[in-house]
Amino acid sequence: MPNAALDMRISRRTRRIQKRQNEILDAAKEVFLGREFSAVTMEEIADRAVMTRTTVYQYFRNKTELYGAVVLRDMETLAGGMIASFDKRQDMASNLEAVAKAYLAFFSTNSFYFKKFSFFFLPGRGAPMPEEASKQIDIILAGAVAVIEQCLELGLKRGECRHIDTRSVALAIWAQWMGCAYQAITNHTTRFGRNLEQVYMAGMDIALRGLVQQEEAVKPAKPPYSRKR
């Protein structure tokens, strides 16, 4: 049993570390949203987390690394929701709709993206994301796009859609969703009397119609009429 007891101690210690890290990230997120990034200090984040600055430094070297960790955690939440919504037992249309709703749910509750925060830049877009965080975000982003591609590949395999380049279509759908989120967050949809869900579902309807539409045989062009001489 000694190994089991050791495992339990390690597990408890890991949970405590994760809890402390999340508390720091929650505090940092609040501070980053409330102030200009350049004005934020580690001491301010420590005060918000009700910890000493020394404790915060035990987990994060500086505010840039902290911001990267905040965004990385959000990206994991976004991708995790999309992955969890995919169900191989469902058809392509149902899966794409479920994954789209997971994407929609994230930006409905995290509307500060495209405004204050970015997956690719520090606040204010004055500098790119730290290299290590950027690499990890790219990996998670690729996993999120891969879920859309999985939906398409399963549909293609089952004969639910016409022959397509699933990678290109997945990227196009991702771009469409990102554009819809940007429109809603910047209030472009409300100016036209629509909400985010209506625009998403309209976009999905267009995409699905294009995917299931049967390819028509291309008819040869008729030769130009010429009068016999």
Side-chain angles (χ1 to χ4, degrees), residues 89-177:
R89 297 168 297 180
Q90 299 298 321
D91 60 25
M92 181 186 68
S94 298
N95 268 319
L96 284 174
E97 183 176 343
V99 175
K101 285 183 176 178
Y103 188 97
L104 167 67
F106 175 83
F107 283 106
S108 295
T109 56
N110 294 275
S111 59
F112 43 82
Y113 279 94
F114 298 111
K115 285 184 178 180
K116 187 81 173 180
F117 280 17
S118 167
F119 290 132
F120 309 106
F121 298 93
L122 295 178
R125 298 178 181 268
M129 188 69 70
E131 184 178 359
E132 186 56 37
S134 182
K135 288 178 180 178
Q136 294 182 61
I137 288 170
D138 282 347
I139 292 170
I140 297 171
L141 175 60
V145 174
V147 177
I148 304 173
E149 190 172 1
Q150 256 188 298
C151 296
L152 299 170
E153 287 176 345
L154 198 59
L156 189 60
K157 183 178 179 180
R158 292 172 174 173
E160 295 171 353
C161 71
R162 61 189 178 85
H163 181 73
I164 54 171
D165 174 358
T166 56
R167 177 66 53 83
S168 295
V169 174
L171 289 168
I173 289 173
W174 177 269
Q176 181 195 58
W177 293 352

Side-chain angles (χ1 to χ4, degrees), residues 5 21 24 36 49 56 106 110 122 129-130 142 174 204 209 225:
Q21 285 177 328
I24 295 171
E36 291 298 321
V56 174
F106 175 83
N110 294 275
L122 295 178
M129 188 69 70
W174 177 269
M204 281 305 308
R209 287 176 185 273
Y225 174 77

Side-chain angles (χ1 to χ4, degrees), residues 175-187:
Q176 181 195 58
W177 293 352
M178 186 174 290
C180 289
Y182 177 80
Q183 279 195 331
I185 289 167
T186 54
N187 297 321

